[in-house]
Amino acid sequence: MSPNFGDKALVQGYSGGMELTGKLAEAFSTQVTLELTAATVYRQLAVEMDVLSLPGIAGWFRAQAGEEIVHAEKFMTHMTDRSAHPKIGEQPAPTVNVNSVADAFAASLAHEQKVSEAIRELYRLAQTEGDIDSMPLLHWFIDEQVEEEATVGEILDRVRMIGNDGSGLLRLDAELGSRSSSS
Ligand code: FEO
């Protein structure tokens, strides 16, 4: 016998928890667009590394782009689970001015810092809207941003230490390349 979900659920789809307020739904959609924009920035950074003949670092940025898509999906799933309708907004072309590996990771860090602030802003809005149900998701993102900024910041420090040492750069390329080949 097939389960009976009730007429309303069959017509509208099941939604869990309290509904997102209009303000929050709009802010979540903006965040979805920002995560997708981050994916595009990372893809462009991957291209820049390919241009510099550093396939390992390029692969690392490509894997990072994939993570950003997962982030966007997380927000969209949370929205649809709560009867909100995610709308992907217009995305700016990536404006990365990269002549070196250090430039690429500095651009990455700057973008992550921007995303972190956007997540904090979402958290503040969720608090003022009294939206308890989005708190676990936003806590996950706060942790994720701390980790992403720390990872990128550490790589940037190492790139600066390496400077113009070609063999150091090739070692880093091999090390970061193992992320994309193992994931
Ligand atoms: Fe989804 Fe790297 O921020």
PDB file of all heavy atoms in Angstrom, residues 107-147:
ATOM      1  N   ALA A 107      43.925  36.695  -3.837  1.00  0.00           N
ATOM      2  CA  ALA A 107      42.565  36.925  -4.364  1.00  0.00           C
ATOM      3  C   ALA A 107      41.587  35.967  -3.711  1.00  0.00           C
ATOM      4  O   ALA A 107      40.459  36.334  -3.353  1.00  0.00           O
ATOM      5  CB  ALA A 107      42.558  36.745  -5.889  1.00  0.00           C
ATOM      6  N   SER A 108      42.032  34.726  -3.532  1.00  0.00           N
ATOM      7  CA  SER A 108      41.187  33.715  -2.907  1.00  0.00           C
ATOM      8  C   SER A 108      40.863  34.105  -1.460  1.00  0.00           C
ATOM      9  O   SER A 108      39.700  34.030  -1.031  1.00  0.00           O
ATOM     10  CB  SER A 108      41.933  32.371  -2.971  1.00  0.00           C
ATOM     11  OG  SER A 108      41.384  31.455  -2.089  1.00  0.00           O
ATOM     12  N   LEU A 109      41.874  34.547  -0.730  1.00  0.00           N
ATOM     13  CA  LEU A 109      41.663  34.922   0.673  1.00  0.00           C
ATOM     14  C   LEU A 109      40.698  36.109   0.769  1.00  0.00           C
ATOM     15  O   LEU A 109      39.784  36.116   1.601  1.00  0.00           O
ATOM     16  CB  LEU A 109      42.996  35.258   1.350  1.00  0.00           C
ATOM     17  CG  LEU A 109      42.923  35.587   2.841  1.00  0.00           C
ATOM     18  CD1 LEU A 109      42.323  34.422   3.638  1.00  0.00           C
ATOM     19  CD2 LEU A 109      44.303  35.931   3.401  1.00  0.00           C
ATOM     20  N   ALA A 110      40.892  37.083  -0.116  1.00  0.00           N
ATOM     21  CA  ALA A 110      40.010  38.262  -0.097  1.00  0.00           C
ATOM     22  C   ALA A 110      38.570  37.833  -0.354  1.00  0.00           C
ATOM     23  O   ALA A 110      37.632  38.316   0.293  1.00  0.00           O
ATOM     24  CB  ALA A 110      40.464  39.275  -1.143  1.00  0.00           C
ATOM     25  N   HIS A 111      38.376  36.887  -1.276  1.00  0.00           N
ATOM     26  CA  HIS A 111      37.022  36.439  -1.585  1.00  0.00           C
ATOM     27  C   HIS A 111      36.423  35.677  -0.401  1.00  0.00           C
ATOM     28  O   HIS A 111      35.257  35.865  -0.058  1.00  0.00           O
ATOM     29  CB  HIS A 111      37.011  35.587  -2.850  1.00  0.00           C
ATOM     30  CG  HIS A 111      35.669  35.585  -3.505  1.00  0.00           C
ATOM     31  ND1 HIS A 111      35.238  36.600  -4.311  1.00  0.00           N
ATOM     32  CD2 HIS A 111      34.635  34.722  -3.402  1.00  0.00           C
ATOM     33  CE1 HIS A 111      33.999  36.359  -4.698  1.00  0.00           C
ATOM     34  NE2 HIS A 111      33.607  35.211  -4.166  1.00  0.00           N
ATOM     35  N   GLU A 112      37.232  34.840   0.230  1.00  0.00           N
ATOM     36  CA  GLU A 112      36.724  34.090   1.389  1.00  0.00           C
ATOM     37  C   GLU A 112      36.339  35.032   2.527  1.00  0.00           C
ATOM     38  O   GLU A 112      35.348  34.800   3.227  1.00  0.00           O
ATOM     39  CB  GLU A 112      37.762  33.067   1.874  1.00  0.00           C
ATOM     40  CG  GLU A 112      37.985  31.891   0.946  1.00  0.00           C
ATOM     41  CD  GLU A 112      36.728  31.071   0.675  1.00  0.00           C
ATOM     42  OE1 GLU A 112      35.766  31.127   1.448  1.00  0.00           O
ATOM     43  OE2 GLU A 112      36.702  30.376  -0.349  1.00  0.00           O
ATOM     44  N   GLN A 113      37.120  36.095   2.698  1.00  0.00           N
ATOM     45  CA  GLN A 113      36.796  37.056   3.767  1.00  0.00           C
ATOM     46  C   GLN A 113      35.457  37.739   3.486  1.00  0.00           C
ATOM     47  O   GLN A 113      34.653  37.960   4.392  1.00  0.00           O
ATOM     48  CB  GLN A 113      37.924  38.088   3.910  1.00  0.00           C
ATOM     49  CG  GLN A 113      39.147  37.483   4.588  1.00  0.00           C
ATOM     50  CD  GLN A 113      40.404  38.317   4.444  1.00  0.00           C
ATOM     51  OE1 GLN A 113      40.513  39.157   3.539  1.00  0.00           O
ATOM     52  NE2 GLN A 113      41.384  38.081   5.305  1.00  0.00           N
ATOM     53  N   LYS A 114      35.224  38.011   2.198  1.00  0.00           N
ATOM     54  CA  LYS A 114      33.949  38.621   1.800  1.00  0.00           C
ATOM     55  C   LYS A 114      32.791  37.652   2.084  1.00  0.00           C
ATOM     56  O   LYS A 114      31.750  38.037   2.618  1.00  0.00           O
ATOM     57  CB  LYS A 114      34.026  38.947   0.301  1.00  0.00           C
ATOM     58  CG  LYS A 114      32.838  39.668  -0.248  1.00  0.00           C
ATOM     59  CD  LYS A 114      33.091  40.036  -1.708  1.00  0.00           C
ATOM     60  CE  LYS A 114      31.791  40.377  -2.399  1.00  0.00           C
ATOM     61  NZ  LYS A 114      31.982  40.609  -3.826  1.00  0.00           N
ATOM     62  N   VAL A 115      32.991  36.370   1.745  1.00  0.00           N
ATOM     63  CA  VAL A 115      31.952  35.363   1.987  1.00  0.00           C
ATOM     64  C   VAL A 115      31.708  35.215   3.491  1.00  0.00           C
ATOM     65  O   VAL A 115      30.563  35.136   3.942  1.00  0.00           O
ATOM     66  CB  VAL A 115      32.343  34.001   1.359  1.00  0.00           C
ATOM     67  CG1 VAL A 115      31.364  32.907   1.775  1.00  0.00           C
ATOM     68  CG2 VAL A 115      32.390  34.107  -0.164  1.00  0.00           C
ATOM     69  N   SER A 116      32.779  35.207   4.291  1.00  0.00           N
ATOM     70  CA  SER A 116      32.625  35.077   5.750  1.00  0.00           C
ATOM     71  C   SER A 116      31.759  36.198   6.297  1.00  0.00           C
ATOM     72  O   SER A 116      30.878  35.970   7.131  1.00  0.00           O
ATOM     73  CB  SER A 116      33.987  35.134   6.452  1.00  0.00           C
ATOM     74  OG  SER A 116      34.782  34.057   6.056  1.00  0.00           O
ATOM     75  N   GLU A 117      32.012  37.422   5.830  1.00  0.00           N
ATOM     76  CA  GLU A 117      31.227  38.549   6.331  1.00  0.00           C
ATOM     77  C   GLU A 117      29.762  38.415   5.902  1.00  0.00           C
ATOM     78  O   GLU A 117      28.849  38.736   6.672  1.00  0.00           O
ATOM     79  CB  GLU A 117      31.837  39.882   5.852  1.00  0.00           C
ATOM     80  CG  GLU A 117      31.279  41.116   6.531  1.00  0.00           C
ATOM     81  CD  GLU A 117      31.108  40.997   8.063  1.00  0.00           C
ATOM     82  OE1 GLU A 117      31.990  40.418   8.739  1.00  0.00           O
ATOM     83  OE2 GLU A 117      30.078  41.466   8.592  1.00  0.00           O
ATOM     84  N   ALA A 118      29.549  37.901   4.691  1.00  0.00           N
ATOM     85  CA  ALA A 118      28.163  37.702   4.219  1.00  0.00           C
ATOM     86  C   ALA A 118      27.445  36.668   5.085  1.00  0.00           C
ATOM     87  O   ALA A 118      26.264  36.825   5.413  1.00  0.00           O
ATOM     88  CB  ALA A 118      28.177  37.263   2.756  1.00  0.00           C
ATOM     89  N   ILE A 119      28.169  35.622   5.491  1.00  0.00           N
ATOM     90  CA  ILE A 119      27.557  34.595   6.350  1.00  0.00           C
ATOM     91  C   ILE A 119      27.221  35.199   7.730  1.00  0.00           C
ATOM     92  O   ILE A 119      26.151  34.952   8.286  1.00  0.00           O
ATOM     93  CB  ILE A 119      28.513  33.380   6.522  1.00  0.00           C
ATOM     94  CG1 ILE A 119      28.818  32.710   5.180  1.00  0.00           C
ATOM     95  CG2 ILE A 119      27.962  32.389   7.560  1.00  0.00           C
ATOM     96  CD1 ILE A 119      27.750  31.804   4.643  1.00  0.00           C
ATOM     97  N   ARG A 120      28.153  36.009   8.251  1.00  0.00           N
ATOM     98  CA  ARG A 120      27.876  36.648   9.554  1.00  0.00           C
ATOM     99  C   ARG A 120      26.643  37.542   9.456  1.00  0.00           C
ATOM    100  O   ARG A 120      25.815  37.594  10.362  1.00  0.00           O
ATOM    101  CB  ARG A 120      29.077  37.507   9.990  1.00  0.00           C
ATOM    102  CG  ARG A 120      30.236  36.694  10.494  1.00  0.00           C
ATOM    103  CD  ARG A 120      31.369  37.588  11.004  1.00  0.00           C
ATOM    104  NE  ARG A 120      32.622  36.895  10.846  1.00  0.00           N
ATOM    105  CZ  ARG A 120      33.583  37.206   9.972  1.00  0.00           C
ATOM    106  NH1 ARG A 120      33.454  38.268   9.190  1.00  0.00           N
ATOM    107  NH2 ARG A 120      34.671  36.479   9.886  1.00  0.00           N
ATOM    108  N   GLU A 121      26.532  38.241   8.338  1.00  0.00           N
ATOM    109  CA  GLU A 121      25.375  39.127   8.109  1.00  0.00           C
ATOM    110  C   GLU A 121      24.084  38.300   8.064  1.00  0.00           C
ATOM    111  O   GLU A 121      23.062  38.708   8.626  1.00  0.00           O
ATOM    112  CB  GLU A 121      25.615  39.850   6.775  1.00  0.00           C
ATOM    113  CG  GLU A 121      25.229  41.310   6.655  1.00  0.00           C
ATOM    114  CD  GLU A 121      25.044  42.106   7.935  1.00  0.00           C
ATOM    115  OE1 GLU A 121      26.029  42.379   8.642  1.00  0.00           O
ATOM    116  OE2 GLU A 121      23.891  42.448   8.210  1.00  0.00           O
ATOM    117  N   LEU A 122      24.140  37.131   7.423  1.00  0.00           N
ATOM    118  CA  LEU A 122      22.967  36.240   7.375  1.00  0.00           C
ATOM    119  C   LEU A 122      22.600  35.794   8.784  1.00  0.00           C
ATOM    120  O   LEU A 122      21.421  35.711   9.131  1.00  0.00           O
ATOM    121  CB  LEU A 122      23.294  34.983   6.556  1.00  0.00           C
ATOM    122  CG  LEU A 122      23.015  34.975   5.062  1.00  0.00           C
ATOM    123  CD1 LEU A 122      23.322  33.595   4.504  1.00  0.00           C
ATOM    124  CD2 LEU A 122      21.571  35.341   4.766  1.00  0.00           C
ATOM    125  N   TYR A 123      23.608  35.479   9.561  1.00  0.00           N
ATOM    126  CA  TYR A 123      23.383  35.022  10.934  1.00  0.00           C
ATOM    127  C   TYR A 123      22.698  36.124  11.751  1.00  0.00           C
ATOM    128  O   TYR A 123      21.738  35.871  12.472  1.00  0.00           O
ATOM    129  CB  TYR A 123      24.725  34.630  11.574  1.00  0.00           C
ATOM    130  CG  TYR A 123      24.579  33.967  12.920  1.00  0.00           C
ATOM    131  CD1 TYR A 123      24.371  32.597  13.020  1.00  0.00           C
ATOM    132  CD2 TYR A 123      24.655  34.716  14.095  1.00  0.00           C
ATOM    133  CE1 TYR A 123      24.228  31.985  14.264  1.00  0.00           C
ATOM    134  CE2 TYR A 123      24.511  34.111  15.334  1.00  0.00           C
ATOM    135  CZ  TYR A 123      24.306  32.751  15.415  1.00  0.00           C
ATOM    136  OH  TYR A 123      24.163  32.145  16.639  1.00  0.00           O
ATOM    137  N   ARG A 124      23.195  37.354  11.592  1.00  0.00           N
ATOM    138  CA  ARG A 124      22.584  38.482  12.324  1.00  0.00           C
ATOM    139  C   ARG A 124      21.125  38.652  11.907  1.00  0.00           C
ATOM    140  O   ARG A 124      20.251  38.872  12.737  1.00  0.00           O
ATOM    141  CB  ARG A 124      23.357  39.780  12.028  1.00  0.00           C
ATOM    142  CG  ARG A 124      24.737  39.814  12.672  1.00  0.00           C
ATOM    143  CD  ARG A 124      25.479  41.115  12.360  1.00  0.00           C
ATOM    144  NE  ARG A 124      26.893  40.960  12.633  1.00  0.00           N
ATOM    145  CZ  ARG A 124      27.862  40.989  11.715  1.00  0.00           C
ATOM    146  NH1 ARG A 124      27.579  41.217  10.443  1.00  0.00           N
ATOM    147  NH2 ARG A 124      29.133  40.823  12.059  1.00  0.00           N
ATOM    148  N   LEU A 125      20.874  38.525  10.603  1.00  0.00           N
ATOM    149  CA  LEU A 125      19.500  38.670  10.096  1.00  0.00           C
ATOM    150  C   LEU A 125      18.612  37.548  10.644  1.00  0.00           C
ATOM    151  O   LEU A 125      17.480  37.806  11.078  1.00  0.00           O
ATOM    152  CB  LEU A 125      19.501  38.655   8.560  1.00  0.00           C
ATOM    153  CG  LEU A 125      18.140  38.844   7.896  1.00  0.00           C
ATOM    154  CD1 LEU A 125      17.528  40.196   8.241  1.00  0.00           C
ATOM    155  CD2 LEU A 125      18.245  38.702   6.374  1.00  0.00           C
ATOM    156  N   ALA A 126      19.126  36.324  10.642  1.00  0.00           N
ATOM    157  CA  ALA A 126      18.349  35.190  11.170  1.00  0.00           C
ATOM    158  C   ALA A 126      18.012  35.436  12.641  1.00  0.00           C
ATOM    159  O   ALA A 126      16.912  35.111  13.104  1.00  0.00           O
ATOM    160  CB  ALA A 126      19.127  33.889  11.001  1.00  0.00           C
ATOM    161  N   GLN A 127      18.949  36.041  13.356  1.00  0.00           N
ATOM    162  CA  GLN A 127      18.685  36.343  14.780  1.00  0.00           C
ATOM    163  C   GLN A 127      17.572  37.379  14.921  1.00  0.00           C
ATOM    164  O   GLN A 127      16.652  37.203  15.707  1.00  0.00           O
ATOM    165  CB  GLN A 127      19.951  36.867  15.451  1.00  0.00           C
ATOM    166  CG  GLN A 127      20.878  35.748  15.904  1.00  0.00           C
ATOM    167  CD  GLN A 127      22.083  36.284  16.656  1.00  0.00           C
ATOM    168  OE1 GLN A 127      22.662  37.301  16.267  1.00  0.00           O
ATOM    169  NE2 GLN A 127      22.474  35.608  17.708  1.00  0.00           N
ATOM    170  N   THR A 128      17.660  38.445  14.141  1.00  0.00           N
ATOM    171  CA  THR A 128      16.625  39.487  14.281  1.00  0.00           C
ATOM    172  C   THR A 128      15.262  38.984  13.786  1.00  0.00           C
ATOM    173  O   THR A 128      14.232  39.422  14.260  1.00  0.00           O
ATOM    174  CB  THR A 128      16.985  40.800  13.535  1.00  0.00           C
ATOM    175  OG1 THR A 128      17.281  40.479  12.178  1.00  0.00           O
ATOM    176  CG2 THR A 128      18.155  41.502  14.138  1.00  0.00           C
ATOM    177  N   GLU A 129      15.284  38.035  12.845  1.00  0.00           N
ATOM    178  CA  GLU A 129      14.022  37.472  12.353  1.00  0.00           C
ATOM    179  C   GLU A 129      13.516  36.340  13.259  1.00  0.00           C
ATOM    180  O   GLU A 129      12.471  35.769  13.002  1.00  0.00           O
ATOM    181  CB  GLU A 129      14.208  36.918  10.936  1.00  0.00           C
ATOM    182  CG  GLU A 129      14.593  37.953   9.890  1.00  0.00           C
ATOM    183  CD  GLU A 129      13.405  38.780   9.414  1.00  0.00           C
ATOM    184  OE1 GLU A 129      12.488  38.218   8.815  1.00  0.00           O
ATOM    185  OE2 GLU A 129      13.401  39.997   9.680  1.00  0.00           O
ATOM    186  N   GLY A 130      14.316  35.993  14.259  1.00  0.00           N
ATOM    187  CA  GLY A 130      13.924  34.909  15.172  1.00  0.00           C
ATOM    188  C   GLY A 130      13.864  33.555  14.490  1.00  0.00           C
ATOM    189  O   GLY A 130      13.059  32.690  14.855  1.00  0.00           O
ATOM    190  N   ASP A 131      14.716  33.353  13.486  1.00  0.00           N
ATOM    191  CA  ASP A 131      14.660  32.124  12.698  1.00  0.00           C
ATOM    192  C   ASP A 131      15.590  31.043  13.265  1.00  0.00           C
ATOM    193  O   ASP A 131      16.742  30.898  12.825  1.00  0.00           O
ATOM    194  CB  ASP A 131      15.016  32.425  11.234  1.00  0.00           C
ATOM    195  CG  ASP A 131      14.672  31.264  10.344  1.00  0.00           C
ATOM    196  OD1 ASP A 131      13.488  31.067  10.058  1.00  0.00           O
ATOM    197  OD2 ASP A 131      15.591  30.505   9.977  1.00  0.00           O
ATOM    198  N   ILE A 132      15.071  30.291  14.198  1.00  0.00           N
ATOM    199  CA  ILE A 132      15.867  29.265  14.884  1.00  0.00           C
ATOM    200  C   ILE A 132      16.277  28.143  13.925  1.00  0.00           C
ATOM    201  O   ILE A 132      17.392  27.616  14.005  1.00  0.00           O
ATOM    202  CB  ILE A 132      15.056  28.694  16.074  1.00  0.00           C
ATOM    203  CG1 ILE A 132      14.875  29.790  17.123  1.00  0.00           C
ATOM    204  CG2 ILE A 132      15.736  27.470  16.686  1.00  0.00           C
ATOM    205  CD1 ILE A 132      13.806  29.475  18.151  1.00  0.00           C
ATOM    206  N   ASP A 133      15.400  27.819  12.975  1.00  0.00           N
ATOM    207  CA  ASP A 133      15.655  26.644  12.122  1.00  0.00           C
ATOM    208  C   ASP A 133      16.868  26.789  11.198  1.00  0.00           C
ATOM    209  O   ASP A 133      17.415  25.784  10.731  1.00  0.00           O
ATOM    210  CB  ASP A 133      14.407  26.322  11.284  1.00  0.00           C
ATOM    211  CG  ASP A 133      13.259  25.816  12.150  1.00  0.00           C
ATOM    212  OD1 ASP A 133      13.343  25.976  13.390  1.00  0.00           O
ATOM    213  OD2 ASP A 133      12.292  25.275  11.613  1.00  0.00           O
ATOM    214  N   SER A 134      17.257  28.013  10.887  1.00  0.00           N
ATOM    215  CA  SER A 134      18.425  28.158  10.001  1.00  0.00           C
ATOM    216  C   SER A 134      19.740  28.202  10.781  1.00  0.00           C
ATOM    217  O   SER A 134      20.817  28.188  10.186  1.00  0.00           O
ATOM    218  CB  SER A 134      18.293  29.415   9.122  1.00  0.00           C
ATOM    219  OG  SER A 134      18.255  30.563   9.937  1.00  0.00           O
ATOM    220  N   MET A 135      19.666  28.230  12.109  1.00  0.00           N
ATOM    221  CA  MET A 135      20.886  28.359  12.921  1.00  0.00           C
ATOM    222  C   MET A 135      21.888  27.212  12.718  1.00  0.00           C
ATOM    223  O   MET A 135      23.083  27.464  12.559  1.00  0.00           O
ATOM    224  CB  MET A 135      20.544  28.509  14.410  1.00  0.00           C
ATOM    225  CG  MET A 135      19.843  29.815  14.745  1.00  0.00           C
ATOM    226  SD  MET A 135      20.885  31.235  14.344  1.00  0.00           S
ATOM    227  CE  MET A 135      19.786  32.602  14.672  1.00  0.00           C
ATOM    228  N   PRO A 136      21.438  25.941  12.721  1.00  0.00           N
ATOM    229  CA  PRO A 136      22.429  24.868  12.505  1.00  0.00           C
ATOM    230  C   PRO A 136      23.159  25.008  11.174  1.00  0.00           C
ATOM    231  O   PRO A 136      24.384  24.824  11.098  1.00  0.00           O
ATOM    232  CB  PRO A 136      21.581  23.583  12.540  1.00  0.00           C
ATOM    233  CG  PRO A 136      20.375  23.951  13.343  1.00  0.00           C
ATOM    234  CD  PRO A 136      20.102  25.397  13.017  1.00  0.00           C
ATOM    235  N   LEU A 137      22.417  25.361  10.132  1.00  0.00           N
ATOM    236  CA  LEU A 137      23.043  25.549   8.814  1.00  0.00           C
ATOM    237  C   LEU A 137      24.062  26.690   8.859  1.00  0.00           C
ATOM    238  O   LEU A 137      25.186  26.562   8.369  1.00  0.00           O
ATOM    239  CB  LEU A 137      21.956  25.876   7.765  1.00  0.00           C
ATOM    240  CG  LEU A 137      22.471  26.145   6.360  1.00  0.00           C
ATOM    241  CD1 LEU A 137      22.823  24.848   5.653  1.00  0.00           C
ATOM    242  CD2 LEU A 137      21.431  26.906   5.524  1.00  0.00           C
ATOM    243  N   LEU A 138      23.673  27.795   9.484  1.00  0.00           N
ATOM    244  CA  LEU A 138      24.574  28.952   9.524  1.00  0.00           C
ATOM    245  C   LEU A 138      25.791  28.683  10.422  1.00  0.00           C
ATOM    246  O   LEU A 138      26.896  29.127  10.100  1.00  0.00           O
ATOM    247  CB  LEU A 138      23.809  30.205   9.967  1.00  0.00           C
ATOM    248  CG  LEU A 138      22.743  30.645   8.949  1.00  0.00           C
ATOM    249  CD1 LEU A 138      21.906  31.798   9.504  1.00  0.00           C
ATOM    250  CD2 LEU A 138      23.370  31.049   7.612  1.00  0.00           C
ATOM    251  N   HIS A 139      25.586  27.910  11.478  1.00  0.00           N
ATOM    252  CA  HIS A 139      26.750  27.523  12.302  1.00  0.00           C
ATOM    253  C   HIS A 139      27.726  26.694  11.473  1.00  0.00           C
ATOM    254  O   HIS A 139      28.938  26.867  11.560  1.00  0.00           O
ATOM    255  CB  HIS A 139      26.307  26.715  13.529  1.00  0.00           C
ATOM    256  CG  HIS A 139      25.833  27.584  14.648  1.00  0.00           C
ATOM    257  ND1 HIS A 139      24.748  27.285  15.420  1.00  0.00           N
ATOM    258  CD2 HIS A 139      26.306  28.763  15.126  1.00  0.00           C
ATOM    259  CE1 HIS A 139      24.564  28.239  16.317  1.00  0.00           C
ATOM    260  NE2 HIS A 139      25.495  29.154  16.156  1.00  0.00           N
ATOM    261  N   TRP A 140      27.173  25.784  10.668  1.00  0.00           N
ATOM    262  CA  TRP A 140      28.032  24.950   9.804  1.00  0.00           C
ATOM    263  C   TRP A 140      28.858  25.860   8.891  1.00  0.00           C
ATOM    264  O   TRP A 140      30.071  25.672   8.736  1.00  0.00           O
ATOM    265  CB  TRP A 140      27.175  23.986   8.966  1.00  0.00           C
ATOM    266  CG  TRP A 140      28.020  23.041   8.163  1.00  0.00           C
ATOM    267  CD1 TRP A 140      28.494  21.824   8.555  1.00  0.00           C
ATOM    268  CD2 TRP A 140      28.532  23.266   6.830  1.00  0.00           C
ATOM    269  NE1 TRP A 140      29.266  21.277   7.554  1.00  0.00           N
ATOM    270  CE2 TRP A 140      29.307  22.130   6.483  1.00  0.00           C
ATOM    271  CE3 TRP A 140      28.421  24.310   5.903  1.00  0.00           C
ATOM    272  CZ2 TRP A 140      29.959  22.007   5.256  1.00  0.00           C
ATOM    273  CZ3 TRP A 140      29.077  24.195   4.680  1.00  0.00           C
ATOM    274  CH2 TRP A 140      29.836  23.047   4.370  1.00  0.00           C
ATOM    275  N   PHE A 141      28.217  26.872   8.326  1.00  0.00           N
ATOM    276  CA  PHE A 141      28.929  27.768   7.408  1.00  0.00           C
ATOM    277  C   PHE A 141      29.950  28.639   8.139  1.00  0.00           C
ATOM    278  O   PHE A 141      31.013  28.944   7.586  1.00  0.00           O
ATOM    279  CB  PHE A 141      27.931  28.632   6.610  1.00  0.00           C
ATOM    280  CG  PHE A 141      27.481  27.956   5.343  1.00  0.00           C
ATOM    281  CD1 PHE A 141      26.254  27.322   5.280  1.00  0.00           C
ATOM    282  CD2 PHE A 141      28.294  27.926   4.218  1.00  0.00           C
ATOM    283  CE1 PHE A 141      25.836  26.680   4.118  1.00  0.00           C
ATOM    284  CE2 PHE A 141      27.887  27.286   3.055  1.00  0.00           C
ATOM    285  CZ  PHE A 141      26.663  26.664   2.999  1.00  0.00           C
ATOM    286  N   ILE A 142      29.632  29.035   9.360  1.00  0.00           N
ATOM    287  CA  ILE A 142      30.600  29.841  10.127  1.00  0.00           C
ATOM    288  C   ILE A 142      31.868  29.007  10.355  1.00  0.00           C
ATOM    289  O   ILE A 142      32.991  29.474  10.122  1.00  0.00           O
ATOM    290  CB  ILE A 142      29.973  30.324  11.458  1.00  0.00           C
ATOM    291  CG1 ILE A 142      28.915  31.390  11.165  1.00  0.00           C
ATOM    292  CG2 ILE A 142      31.054  30.886  12.392  1.00  0.00           C
ATOM    293  CD1 ILE A 142      28.015  31.727  12.353  1.00  0.00           C
ATOM    294  N   ASP A 143      31.688  27.743  10.768  1.00  0.00           N
ATOM    295  CA  ASP A 143      32.847  26.839  10.959  1.00  0.00           C
ATOM    296  C   ASP A 143      33.607  26.656   9.648  1.00  0.00           C
ATOM    297  O   ASP A 143      34.841  26.683   9.610  1.00  0.00           O
ATOM    298  CB  ASP A 143      32.369  25.443  11.405  1.00  0.00           C
ATOM    299  CG  ASP A 143      32.060  25.403  12.888  1.00  0.00           C
ATOM    300  OD1 ASP A 143      32.453  26.340  13.607  1.00  0.00           O
ATOM    301  OD2 ASP A 143      31.411  24.426  13.329  1.00  0.00           O
ATOM    302  N   GLU A 144      32.847  26.444   8.587  1.00  0.00           N
ATOM    303  CA  GLU A 144      33.459  26.202   7.270  1.00  0.00           C
ATOM    304  C   GLU A 144      34.307  27.400   6.837  1.00  0.00           C
ATOM    305  O   GLU A 144      35.409  27.244   6.323  1.00  0.00           O
ATOM    306  CB  GLU A 144      32.334  25.930   6.249  1.00  0.00           C
ATOM    307  CG  GLU A 144      32.788  25.726   4.813  1.00  0.00           C
ATOM    308  CD  GLU A 144      33.454  24.382   4.576  1.00  0.00           C
ATOM    309  OE1 GLU A 144      33.543  23.583   5.529  1.00  0.00           O
ATOM    310  OE2 GLU A 144      33.917  24.157   3.442  1.00  0.00           O
ATOM    311  N   GLN A 145      33.801  28.609   7.085  1.00  0.00           N
ATOM    312  CA  GLN A 145      34.545  29.805   6.669  1.00  0.00           C
ATOM    313  C   GLN A 145      35.825  29.979   7.488  1.00  0.00           C
ATOM    314  O   GLN A 145      36.859  30.387   6.945  1.00  0.00           O
ATOM    315  CB  GLN A 145      33.653  31.051   6.777  1.00  0.00           C
ATOM    316  CG  GLN A 145      32.674  31.183   5.638  1.00  0.00           C
ATOM    317  CD  GLN A 145      33.297  31.034   4.269  1.00  0.00           C
ATOM    318  OE1 GLN A 145      32.934  30.128   3.525  1.00  0.00           O
ATOM    319  NE2 GLN A 145      34.260  31.878   3.918  1.00  0.00           N
ATOM    320  N   VAL A 146      35.750  29.674   8.781  1.00  0.00           N
ATOM    321  CA  VAL A 146      36.967  29.760   9.611  1.00  0.00           C
ATOM    322  C   VAL A 146      38.018  28.827   9.016  1.00  0.00           C
ATOM    323  O   VAL A 146      39.196  29.188   8.846  1.00  0.00           O
ATOM    324  CB  VAL A 146      36.664  29.384  11.089  1.00  0.00           C
ATOM    325  CG1 VAL A 146      37.948  29.192  11.880  1.00  0.00           C
ATOM    326  CG2 VAL A 146      35.787  30.453  11.744  1.00  0.00           C
ATOM    327  N   GLU A 147      37.575  27.614   8.659  1.00  0.00           N
ATOM    328  CA  GLU A 147      38.501  26.619   8.105  1.00  0.00           C
ATOM    329  C   GLU A 147      39.042  27.060   6.732  1.00  0.00           C
ATOM    330  O   GLU A 147      40.244  26.970   6.467  1.00  0.00           O
ATOM    331  CB  GLU A 147      37.736  25.296   7.976  1.00  0.00           C
ATOM    332  CG  GLU A 147      38.616  24.097   7.731  1.00  0.00           C
ATOM    333  CD  GLU A 147      37.759  22.855   7.486  1.00  0.00           C
ATOM    334  OE1 GLU A 147      36.879  22.558   8.300  1.00  0.00           O
ATOM    335  OE2 GLU A 147      37.985  22.206   6.445  1.00  0.00           O
TER     336      GLU A 147
END
